[in-house]
Structures are given as structure tokens and as C-alpha cells.
Amino acid sequence: VQLVESGGGLVQPGGSLRLSCAASGLTFSRYWMSWVRQAPGKGLEWVANINQDGSEKYYVDSVKGRFTISRDNAKNSLYLQMNSLRAEDTAVYYCATVEGYAFDIWGQGTMVTVSS
Amino acid sequence: QSALTQPASVSGSPGQSITISCTGTSSDVGGYNYVSWYQQHPGKAPKLMIYDVSNRPSGVSNRFSGSKSGNTASLTISGLQAEDEADYYCSSYTSNSALAVFGGGTKLTVL
């Protein structure tokens, strides 16, 4: 069972980035999925959730209108499209499966740095 | 400022027991039995240790236990071991706009 994030990097303020999360060893289409981020030296922050078929999506207020969560069950993949990036979006971004109301399986994370 | 309040640090000696608190409101911790706890070693991803207040996932040591009273949840680690030294985060479902909120984290030091 494994989740592997990719797509992080250095981007200028106002720029865009698309994160991916590839799932293996689990029935991806069975799970709600989440993105959780952690700013350097800080705590965890839930960012977004998506249900099994992608028809329900929820976001933390600070990213509403800028970030879009999506998934492709045929490719066992989760995505986070991040637009209008700000310095405060700098963080390690983790994807995680949601089991009930807990974040069960986590990826290793991908670092996003927003800086000029 | 985090939505859930945790002590910044706790410490204990090997073999002892420690408890980490997580205080919220009636909109999150107090209103639902959906509190979870995560262990994070430096540079690593978080690991689920407790879900739904007091349930342990398969493979998690029974030295870890959870409970809740009112708006405060607690994680107790008994028989402290050196490998337990890590950051611990609580999380809860919330009826506010964010579906999930985390605590600020507690650094556990095993003396």
C-alpha cells in the first residue's frame, strides 16, 4: 500500500502548480481522499477532501477559489491544482486516504515553495 | 492559531506514562466522537495512531490509548520507549466550514 506525491517545486507568487498523488496496493476508488499540508516548522493543516467519484469536494477557507482537488480512478491518481499561489502556501503537501473521519494512509509528501 | 489546543511539549522517562491533551469546542471535539491522533517523526509523514477517540488501527501498539471528556480529548502513552519520541497531533471533525481541524502539535521527549 503506497501513496506517492509529485509535482512540487519552486514557484513565484501568483503562479500555478499541479500536484499528483499516485496510489498503489489499495482499491483507490473506494476511498475519500484528502490533501493535508505542513508549513516549515509548523503543524498540520487540512486543505481539501474529495469523495469516491469526485462529485463532492470540500476546501479550507484559505484556498477556496484558488485550489481544485480532483481524481482519476482509472489512473489511481489524486490531483491538486493550485493557482494564485501565495507565500503562505509554502508547505509540504501530503495526500492521504480518509477512513471514516481519520487520515489513514499518508504519502511521503511533496514540497511546494512560493517565493520570488 | 490552531483550532485545537495542545501543549507544546511533554516529557517522560522510559517506562513511564504520559498524557497529551487536545482541547476544542462543542463544534468539534465535544460534539463528535471523531477525534484522531497522529505520530510524526522528524522528516517523516504522519502516522495514524488513534481514530474515533479511542480505536487503534491494526499494528499500533496497545501502549497507545485515547479518551475524551467534554471538549477535551487525550492521548495516553504507557511504558514510554525511546522510539515514542516524536510530534503528536490531534484532529477532529468539525461542523464549521473546514471539515477537519488539527491541533498545533505536541513534542514528546523521552528523557
Side-chain angles (χ1 to χ4, degrees), chain B residues 70-102:
Chain B
N71 294 337
T72 298
S74 298
L75 173 71
T76 298
I77 308 173
S78 60
L80 268 180
Q81 300 179 0
E83 69 219 43
D84 299 332
E85 185 162 293
D87 293 326
Y88 291 85
Y89 294 89
C90 63
S91 178
S92 173
Y93 171 81
T94 173
S95 58
N96 294 332
S97 58
L99 291 192
V101 288
F102 284 93

Side-chain angles (χ1 to χ4, degrees), chain A residues 30-76:
Chain A
R30 185 177 86 80
Y31 291 93
W32 277 76
M33 296 295 296
S34 282
W35 288 98
V36 177
R37 67 184 178 183
Q38 185 171 34
K42 302 297 184 181
L44 301 169
E45 179 183 36
W46 169 77
V47 174
N49 272 10
I50 187 169
N51 72 337
Q52 290 90 338
D53 65 4
S55 61
E56 295 183 51
K57 303 175 184 181
Y58 302 93
Y59 302 90
V60 68
D61 283 350
S62 59
V63 308
K64 284 180 182 176
R66 301 189 299 123
F67 289 12
T68 302
I69 189 172
S70 63
R71 65 191 297 160
D72 185 336
N73 288 339
K75 295 182 177 179
N76 290 333

Side-chain angles (χ1 to χ4, degrees), chain A residues 99-102, chain B residues 33-37 48 50-55 66:
Chain A
E99 193 69 55
Y101 292 90
Chain B
N33 288 323
Y34 297 136
V35 176
S36 50
W37 290 90
L48 177 64
I50 296 288
Y51 67 96
D52 294 352
V53 176
S54 60
N55 295 298

